[in-house]
């Protein structure tokens, strides 16, 4: 039944009884503009008469009033007792408005369903000025789902109650298709079912978030995935308008508010990015937002429809590219400055030695020149240390002694870190060989050291330890996989503020930081985690608030065979085969193309022999094989095959047989490099193709 089409439905006795007991069906009929009438010979016991129909065309039977509630309104005092109700709500409670006056609405709802009383009482106690709650009830029968909306004005509370349909799957189970097939709204019902099921599937599985937001920033609808990003359930988002600004990042709140204010005055859609924080873990997520204002006919803003997409990974990639570019330029400048500085120190050392040798041993100037020479030598050594930090380049693995790398860095850190931080080393006596990218390891150690300094604003101890373990370590809060024993460990400890236990599982997430706004990017520990994963290592953390934090980097002790294992890995991946697939237009060609692409083939599909010849002669492709799909309706493309074979093309030819072999020309089949039944599994098809294509 098309919406807005008026018709008269004459129901039989059995259909009339079904309809009398099915209020939902009657409601849907009314929304489609159908006036319900009965035949002239009502069956005994029938309660629906033309004279009983109300202005909408549905008889107000006791069964209907007891099951379905539409637009029930109540005014409550601050204690939640009824001041007044409308006729719809009174009829639903099977009482008069006067009888309901002064009674507790929570208790009355509890009489209808015990599961409603406590939920509604809590709703009244904690709801916002405008709020909404859905009461599912103790079962899923029709009418046992209720929505409650509240609006407060001073000490007065206005409440609207109405029944809501159950979800699509439950509704379809309650009212199977044969029942609805007898009603004029069958097609409309099926459309609603399909639309709701599609929306539900999209909201659960689509990577973004779909939302419908009210002007007060509460949500009329929002995808369940929002709980994963914010820590707040979709139901809470629909109830409370304050959650939106609670999760928006402090630095982005004002620009976002300004954009929304400008959008109120502009009819155009709004697009932008901002950050949100998970309320429990503090994890930061970057969102791209498209927001479309919804307005009334006179321009009043009714809300927004929009989507959010998580672009955190994209943002990370952009930041890392910018950092790498800056670090590359900074490294070039640092090496050049260190080289020039070293040359200057060399001149000072030479002059001081010359003048010192020309003076008498007991001269006061001789002692001063000696101090100048010693200081200049120390400065030259520091310059050399700075240049060593830039030795090698990212991606170059080699064998290194962990003790030597740590000792070299400590010499530099002692010169540049604040004096309030006391650096200590506790290094293993023996060498600790590891196979790593030393360039990246130095960056990781420096980052851990700088984090430790920030955690000790009043000063403290920064300790570097190295150790060798023959037994598997007991390491809590591990990122990555602990390497096999024997294991080498680097520990970086501080006596700072510590990290709360609830945050320990989140500190390695991108953009997570406990530092004040603008003091940290939140990528340091994330990059450390990536370094550990790349090297088959692991990183763990131990922390106690107001005591300190220790990070452990776990490496497998080198057995000096790692480089050979890296060399054994093929430098170039095996080439992917490119096929031209010619077959009947439709499902068979599409499914075959999808099967091959899933298994690593490049496939160009076509249903036209002329187009196939043009593609084969195109310089844009380098085909290794031609796949001909033959069916009863699409037999051998003989002309194409003869032309190809006549030109002595190096292409391998395959026939994917989707019909009886007797239907095809035997000469055509003999020219094929392989004939494969269409019913073969994907594994068999892929195996046959690869063996033939790779055969010399």
């Amino acid at each position: 039944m098309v919406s807005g089409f008026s018709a008269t439905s004459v129901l039989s006795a059995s259909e009339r009884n079904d309809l009398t007991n099915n209020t939902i069906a009657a409601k849907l009929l009314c929304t489609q503009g159908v006036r319900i009438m009965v035949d002239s010979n009502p069956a005994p016991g029938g309660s629906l008469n033309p004279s009983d129909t109300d202005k909408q065309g549905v008889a107000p039977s006791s069964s209907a009033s007891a099951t379905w509630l539409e637009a029930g309104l109540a005014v409550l005092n601050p204690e939640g007792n009824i001041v007044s109700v409308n006729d719809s709500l009174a009829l639903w409670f099977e009482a008069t408005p006067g009888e309901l006056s002064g009674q507790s609405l929570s208790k009355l709802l509890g009489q209808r369903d015990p599961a409603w009383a406590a939920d509604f009482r809590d709703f009244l106690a904690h709801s916002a000025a405008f709020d909404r709650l859905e009461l599912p009830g103790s079962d899923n029968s029709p009418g046992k789902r209720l929505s409650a909306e509240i609006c407060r004005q001073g000490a007065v509370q206005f409440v609207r109650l109405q029944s809501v349909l159950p979800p699509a799957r439950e509704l379809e189970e309650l009212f199977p298709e044969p029942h609805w097939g007898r009603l004029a709204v069958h097609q409309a019902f099926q459309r609603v079912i399909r639309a709701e099921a599609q929306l539900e599937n999209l909201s659960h599985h689509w990577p973004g978030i779909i939302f419908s937001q009210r002007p007060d920033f509460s949500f009329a609808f929002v995808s369940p995935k929002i709980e994963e990003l914010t820590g707040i359930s979709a139901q809470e988002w629909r109830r409370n308008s304050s959650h939106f600004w609670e999760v928006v990042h402090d630095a982005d709140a004002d620009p976002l508010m300004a954009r929304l204010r400008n959008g109120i005055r502009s009819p155009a859609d709004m697009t932008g990015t901002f950050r949100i924080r998970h309320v429990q873990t503090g994890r930061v997520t970057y969102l791209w937002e498209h927001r479309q204002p919804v307005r009334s006919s006179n321009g009043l803003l009714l809300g927004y429809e929009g989507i959010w997409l998580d672009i955190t990974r994209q943002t990370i990639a952009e930041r890392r590219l910018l950092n790498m570019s800056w670090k590359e330029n900074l490294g070039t400048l640092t090496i050049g400055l260190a080289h020039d500085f070293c040359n200057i120190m060399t001149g000072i050392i030479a002059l001081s030695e010359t003048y010192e040798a020309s003076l008498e041993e007991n001269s006061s100037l001789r002692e001063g020149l000696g101090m100048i020479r010693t200081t200049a030598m120390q400065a030259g050594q520091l310059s050399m240390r700075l240049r060593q930090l830039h030795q090698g380049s990212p991606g170059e693995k080699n064998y290194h002694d962990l003790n030597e790398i740590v000792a070299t860095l400590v010499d530099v850190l002692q010169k540049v870190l604040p004096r309030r931080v006391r650096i200590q080393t506790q290094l293993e006596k023996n060498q600790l060989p590891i196979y790593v990218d030393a360039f990246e390891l130095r960056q990781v150690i420096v980052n851990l050291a700088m984090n430790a300094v920030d955690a000790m604003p009043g000063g403290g101890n920064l300790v570097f330890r190295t150790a060798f373990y023959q037994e598997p370590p007991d390491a809590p809060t591990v990122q990555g996989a602990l390497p096999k024993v024997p294991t080498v460990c680097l520990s970086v400890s501080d006596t700072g503020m510590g990290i709360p236990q609830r945050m320990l599982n989140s500190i390695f997430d991108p953009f997570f930081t406990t530092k004040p706004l603008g003091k940290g990017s939140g990528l340091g520990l994330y990059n450390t985690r990536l370094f550990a994963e790349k090297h088959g290592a692991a990183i763990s953390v131990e922390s106690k608030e107001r005591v300190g934090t220790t990070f452990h980097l776990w490496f497998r002790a080198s057995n000096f065979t790692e480089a050979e294992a890296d060399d054994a890995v093929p430098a170039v991946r095996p080439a992917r085969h490119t096929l031209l697939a010619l077959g009947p237009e439709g499902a068979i060609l599409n499914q075959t193309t999808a099967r091959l692409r899933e298994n690593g083939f490049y496939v160009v599909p076509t249903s036209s022999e002329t187009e196939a010849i043009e593609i084969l002669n195109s310089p844009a492709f380098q085909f290794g094989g031609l796949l001909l799909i033959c069916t009863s309706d699409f037999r051998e493309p003989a002309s194409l095959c003869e032309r190809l074979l006549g030109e002595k093309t190096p292409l391998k030819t395959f026939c994917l047989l989707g019909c009886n072999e007797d239907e095809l020309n035997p000469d055509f089949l003999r020219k094929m490099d392989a004939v494969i039944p269409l019913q073969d599994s994907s594994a068999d098809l892929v195996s046959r193709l690869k063996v033939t294509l790779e055969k010399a």
Side-chain angles (χ1 to χ4, degrees):
M1 178 64 66
V2 180
S3 179
F5 177 77
S6 297
T8 300
S9 296
V10 180
L11 307 181
S12 66
S14 60
E15 289 173 330
R16 184 188 65 249
N17 290 335
D18 287 340
L19 185 57
T20 303
N21 296 320
N22 191 337
T23 313
I24 296 178
K27 282 180 57 61
L28 288 177
L29 282 172
C30 294
T31 62
Q32 298 298 318
V34 178
R35 174 166 294 280
I36 303 172
M37 297 180 62
V38 297
D39 56 321
S40 56
N41 298 310
S47 60
L48 192 63
N49 293 298
S51 60
D52 295 333
T53 55
D54 62 9
K55 62 181 179 180
Q56 292 182 338
V58 179
S61 67
S62 60
S63 174
S65 64
T67 303
W68 188 271
L69 172 63
E70 181 175 8
L73 301 176
V75 180
L76 308 181
N77 62 19
E79 289 73 32
N81 296 328
I82 294 175
V83 176
S84 63
V85 298
N86 67 347
D87 292 339
S88 177
L89 186 58
L91 181 63
W92 189 68
F93 280 126
E94 299 180 349
T96 64
E99 292 172 342
L100 296 176
S101 179
Q103 297 193 49
S104 168
L105 183 56
S106 300
K107 291 183 179 179
L108 290 172
L109 289 173
Q111 294 173 7
R112 296 300 304 256
D113 192 313
W116 287 346
D119 290 345
F120 187 77
R121 190 181 305 111
D122 182 69
F123 175 62
L124 289 180
H126 301 97
S127 58
F130 175 80
D131 213 336
R132 183 180 185 277
L133 173 68
E134 187 166 312
L135 301 168
S138 56
D139 58 56
N140 292 324
S141 59
K144 282 302 183 74
R145 285 179 179 268
L146 207 64
S147 71
E149 295 179 332
I150 189 170
C151 179
R152 301 180 187 276
Q153 181 65 36
V156 182
Q157 304 178 95
F158 300 90
V159 177
R160 180 170 66 179
L161 300 169
Q162 65 181 20
S163 300
V164 294
L165 287 173
R169 293 187 181 89
E170 297 178 14
L171 189 61
E172 197 164 14
E173 293 174 1
L174 288 169
F175 306 103
E177 184 175 340
H179 176 76
W180 286 95
R182 298 197 302 270
L183 301 176
V185 293
H186 169 60
Q187 292 183 358
F189 172 77
Q190 291 297 328
R191 279 181 170 179
V192 172
I193 289 291
R194 285 195 298 269
E196 184 177 339
Q198 290 170 358
L199 177 61
E200 183 180 5
N201 183 62
L202 184 65
S203 64
H204 278 86
H205 301 293
W206 192 58
I209 292 175
I210 309 169
F211 66 84
S212 176
Q213 195 173 35
R214 304 186 184 97
D216 67 343
F217 300 107
S218 62
F219 287 85
F221 170 81
V222 65
S223 302
K225 191 177 179 182
I226 196 170
E227 184 171 1
E228 177 184 333
L229 296 182
T230 64
I232 302 172
S233 68
Q235 183 176 358
E236 266 308 300
W237 275 104
R238 291 193 291 269
R239 291 183 55 184
N240 198 325
S241 61
S242 64
H243 289 321
F244 183 76
W245 297 107
E246 289 175 1
V247 302
V248 173
H249 197 286
D250 299 340
D252 296 342
D254 291 339
L256 179 59
M257 177 62 77
R259 187 163 72 239
L260 293 175
R261 285 173 177 166
N262 293 334
I264 293 176
R265 296 186 289 269
S266 172
D269 297 351
M270 293 175 281
T271 301
T273 60
F274 61 95
R275 291 168 290 177
I276 60 173
R277 285 186 185 273
H278 195 285
V279 295
Q280 298 171 0
T281 65
R283 184 180 69 240
V284 175
T285 302
Y286 279 69
L287 294 180
W288 176 87
E289 175 186 76
H290 179 84
R291 179 184 291 265
Q292 179 179 1
V294 179
R295 303 180 186 277
S296 64
S297 57
N298 59 358
L300 178 66
L301 180 67
L302 302 178
Y304 303 94
E305 304 287 345
I307 59 172
W308 287 343
L309 290 178
D310 183 353
I311 59 169
T312 303
R313 290 186 177 276
Q314 176 186 338
T315 307
I316 292 172
E318 293 174 354
R319 293 279 185 89
R320 296 190 74 186
L321 286 174
L322 291 173
N323 288 339
M324 288 176 63
S325 177
W326 166 243
K327 287 178 180 178
E328 183 178 352
N329 295 333
L330 185 61
T332 303
L333 293 173
T334 303
I335 292 175
L337 292 173
H339 178 74
D340 292 343
F341 183 77
C342 192
N343 290 339
I344 294 172
M345 291 297 103
T346 301
I348 294 174
I349 293 171
L351 285 173
S352 63
E353 288 179 344
T354 300
Y355 287 121
E356 185 181 4
S358 65
L359 295 174
E360 297 179 0
E361 292 188 3
N362 57 354
S363 172
S364 59
L365 289 176
R366 185 183 178 92
E367 182 180 353
L369 287 171
M371 294 178 62
I372 291 174
R373 177 171 56 83
T374 302
T375 304
M377 291 179 64
Q378 292 175 348
Q381 291 175 354
L382 179 60
S383 177
M384 291 295 296
R385 295 292 192 191
L386 290 174
R387 294 178 64 184
Q388 289 175 0
L389 291 177
H390 296 276
Q391 288 179 350
S393 60
E396 295 181 359
K397 288 186 179 181
N398 212 328
Y399 298 101
H400 299 275
D401 179 13
L402 180 60
N403 286 337
E404 182 181 351
I405 292 177
V406 174
T408 302
L409 280 176
V410 167
D411 287 344
V412 177
L413 292 173
Q414 285 178 332
K415 303 294 192 300
V416 298
L417 293 184
R419 292 183 178 274
R420 69 177 188 272
V421 177
R422 296 175 295 277
I423 301 179
Q424 303 173 13
T425 57
Q426 299 175 11
L427 306 182
E428 182 77 15
K429 294 180 180 179
N430 300 321
Q431 290 186 339
L432 299 176
I434 54 176
Y435 185 70
V436 295
D437 181 342
F439 188 91
E440 293 186 1
L441 178 57
R442 294 189 191 104
Q443 290 183 339
V444 168
I445 297 175
V446 170
N447 179 70
L448 292 176
M450 299 305 293
N451 285 347
V453 172
D454 291 338
M456 299 183 291
N461 297 325
L462 174 59
V463 183
F464 294 88
R465 297 185 183 89
T466 59
F468 182 83
Y469 291 87
Q470 288 284 9
E471 299 295 332
D474 182 14
T477 317
V478 176
Q479 292 288 326
L482 284 170
K484 296 180 180 179
V485 292
T487 304
V488 172
C489 180
L490 166 64
S491 302
V492 181
S493 304
D494 65 65
T495 55
M497 298 177 290
I499 304 171
Q501 290 294 318
R502 61 184 175 85
M503 294 184 178
L504 288 182
N505 290 321
S506 303
I507 59 176
F508 297 101
D509 291 341
F511 302 117
F512 179 89
T513 178
T514 58
K515 299 176 184 178
L517 186 63
K519 296 294 184 180
S521 66
L523 291 177
L525 289 177
Y526 173 69
N527 289 332
T528 302
R529 190 189 82 186
L530 295 182
F531 166 83
E533 293 174 351
K534 177 181 176 181
H535 287 77
I539 181 170
S540 62
V541 58
E542 301 175 57
S543 186
K544 189 174 182 180
E545 292 187 74
R546 295 182 296 277
V547 175
T549 302
T550 300
F551 287 94
H552 305 280
L553 276 169
W554 304 91
F555 303 93
R556 184 175 183 180
S558 175
N559 56 12
F560 300 98
T561 62
E562 292 84 0
E564 297 176 4
D566 283 352
D567 292 339
V569 177
V572 181
R573 294 181 180 179
R576 295 175 66 181
H577 300 292
T578 305
L579 297 176
L580 174 63
L582 175 62
E585 184 176 358
I588 294 178
L589 180 60
N590 295 337
Q591 292 171 3
T592 302
T593 301
R595 288 167 62 189
L596 294 175
R597 286 174 176 171
E598 289 172 358
N599 287 276
F601 287 87
Y602 291 114
V603 183
V604 180
T606 180
S607 299
S608 167
E609 295 184 22
T610 303
E611 184 181 19
I613 294 174
E614 292 178 359
I615 294 174
L616 283 171
N617 294 325
S618 170
F621 300 98
Q622 293 182 345
F623 292 103
L626 172 65
L627 181 65
L628 305 172
I629 304 174
C630 297
T631 65
S632 298
D633 299 328
F634 192 86
R635 301 190 183 183
E636 64 206 68
S639 59
L640 175 62
C641 187
E642 289 174 2
R643 288 188 57 179
L644 291 174
L645 296 176
E647 295 173 2
K648 297 183 179 180
T649 175
L651 290 180
K652 301 285 187 179
T653 54
F654 305 92
C655 176
L656 198 57
L657 201 60
C659 60
N660 193 318
E661 189 172 343
D662 296 336
E663 299 179 31
L664 303 178
N665 188 334
D667 292 336
F668 168 76
L669 294 177
R670 281 195 293 269
K671 295 174 183 179
M672 299 292 103
D673 289 288
V675 177
I676 308 169
L678 185 63
Q679 293 79 12
D680 278 10
S681 66
S682 295
D684 293 337
L685 173 62
V686 170
S687 177
R688 292 281 301 276
L689 291 175
K690 286 186 175 180
V691 168
T692 307
L693 289 169
E694 294 169 3
K695 187 182 299 182

